[in-house]
Amino acid sequence: MKIVSVLKRNRLIFLVLVVYSILLFTSPDKAIQSWKNSTYYLIEMLQVLPVIFLLTVVIEALVPKEMIIKDFGENSGIKGNLFSLLLGSISAGPIYAAFPISKLMLKKKGCQHYKYCNYLKFMGCYKNTYACK
Amino acid sequence: MDIFTIIFWVIAVVLFVVSLVKSKEKTFDAMKKSKSMMGGMIGEIVAIIFLIGLVLTFIPPETIKTVLGSSNTIVSTFISAAVGSITLIPAFVAFPLVGSLVDAGASIVPAVGFLTTLTMVGVVTFPLEKKEFGTKFAVTRNLFSFAFAIVIALVMGVII
């Protein structure tokens, strides 16, 4: 039973492992190519994730809950939209880097609506602004 | 490391030190919370990264080039946007690739569609997004992003 739950929780990584294993037998060159392609992104992740970790810590420790509610929450109005948009636009990097920050904002109840966190997903943000209203 | 990453590193470290000085207790508390939150995501992120490697093997840049350069603008815009949704190519690879195509006379509309969905729509990151924010959120955000990427591409075609 324990194995089942571990498998369930890490479904995606097991799925990817299976695909790689199959590839390794059927066309090894493709498996190697995929591995090589991935290394760039691995390095990128190692560069970006520590920063995200530090930032979530700083937000959690320094920014009071009331401030997030005021600036990004349900009643933040147009100011909240603009802030989120700005925050989303200046952040660079892979999309998964925005997930922890957005989640933290949501957890702090700053974002009563998902749409506000939506903006945090950089670059595409202003389109989402209208999209999710 | 590119300049933006370095800037973010500096900002993050400075803020972190400020936080430590202000309240050690609060900072350590926050570190614990962040650790458990990010710990839940890291497995998925690693899986996604290896998934991207697979996708890039089967949809190499050369394929993207042929799709972007095809003559039927409407069809190629949709296909380019779809390819952009699936792949996660770093901007410094995508910009020169698309730039050279546009210089060579390819239409700007599929090019913009591709570049926009590249960042806005994430098919490979979808499982993680779904897990963290719920199915409704992930589906809505990605669908709207895709639709608006098409709109942006068409509008860009009119403006430029």
Side-chain angles (χ1 to χ4, degrees):
Chain A
M1 275 303 110
K2 212 181 158 198
I3 301 169
V4 174
S5 85
V6 170
L7 271 172
K8 237 184 176 169
R9 241 184 301 128
N10 301 293
R11 230 180 341 203
L12 196 63
I13 199 144
F14 279 109
L15 197 83
V16 173
L17 260 175
V18 168
V19 175
Y20 267 86
S21 316
I22 294 170
L23 261 187
L24 206 57
F25 283 110
T26 52
S27 51
D29 52 317
K30 283 217 161 113
I32 293 165
Q33 180 66 41
S34 303
W35 173 268
K36 276 190 190 149
N37 289 339
S38 305
T39 45
Y40 165 82
Y41 296 97
L42 265 183
I43 294 167
E44 185 187 41
M45 182 194 87
L46 292 176
Q47 288 174 350
V48 171
L49 276 193
V51 177
I52 301 300
F53 175 75
L54 288 181
L55 284 180
T56 50
V57 169
V58 169
I59 293 173
E60 179 85 43
L62 284 186
V63 185
K65 199 174 163 179
E66 296 73 39
M67 207 168 125
I68 293 188
I69 294 177
K70 201 174 124 250
D71 290 338
F72 293 100
E74 209 169 28
N75 300 317
S76 57
I78 192 134
K79 202 181 74 186
N81 290 6
L82 285 175
F83 269 146
S84 307
L85 208 133
L86 201 72
L87 201 60
S89 303
I90 56 167
S91 48
I95 194 161
Y96 58 75
F99 290 164
I101 306 258
S102 304
K103 203 189 170 192
L104 182 67
M105 304 283 263
L106 256 178
K107 230 176 63 194
K108 282 208 157 191
K109 291 275 170 265
C111 308
Q112 293 288 350
H113 278 302
Y114 283 120
K115 58 176 190 183
Y116 291 110
C117 291
N118 227 354
Y119 309 160
L120 298 178
K121 301 212 174 127
F122 45 109
M123 285 199 189
C125 37
Y126 80 83
K127 304 106 197 182
N128 288 337
T129 313
Y130 303 109
C132 292
K133 263 187 177 162
Chain B
M1 237 189 261
D2 60 297
I3 185 81
F4 283 107
T5 318
I6 295 169
I7 292 171
F8 274 106
W9 264 99
V10 173
I11 294 172
V13 170
V14 168
L15 285 174
F16 183 70
V17 171
V18 171
S19 172
L20 266 180
V21 171
K22 263 195 146 173
S23 166
K24 241 182 178 168
E25 220 173 282
K26 258 186 167 174
T27 309
F28 283 131
D29 209 40
M31 275 173 87
K32 251 189 237 155
K33 276 189 198 161
S34 293
K35 208 179 115 197
S36 73
M37 181 176 77
M38 305 260 301
M41 290 190 202
I42 195 103
E44 304 255 320
I45 292 175
V46 171
I48 286 165
I49 283 168
F50 284 102
L51 201 61
I52 297 167
L54 277 175
V55 169
L56 282 183
T57 305
F58 290 99
I59 313 178
E62 298 83 64
T63 313
I64 295 166
K65 237 171 163 164
T66 21
V67 170
L68 283 180
S70 87
S71 51
N72 189 330
T73 311
I74 305 282
V75 174
S76 73
T77 300
F78 272 93
I79 297 175
S80 306
V83 172
S85 308
I86 298 166
T87 46
L88 266 176
I89 303 176
F92 72 82
V93 175
F95 286 152
L97 177 81
V98 175
S100 67
L101 279 169
V102 174
D103 282 343
S107 168
I108 193 116
V109 182
V112 173
F114 174 73
L115 285 176
T116 315
T117 52
L118 205 58
T119 42
M120 277 167 64
V121 189
V123 171
V124 279
T125 50
F126 186 81
L128 180 61
E129 197 174 337
K130 190 180 113 183
K131 191 178 123 203
E132 298 299 338
F133 300 100
T135 310
K136 194 181 160 203
F137 173 87
V139 169
T140 319
R141 197 194 67 80
N142 280 297
L143 280 182
F144 274 118
S145 296
F146 187 85
F148 276 83
I150 301 279
V151 172
I152 292 162
L154 293 174
V155 172
M156 282 288 282
V158 175
I159 295 174
I160 295 182

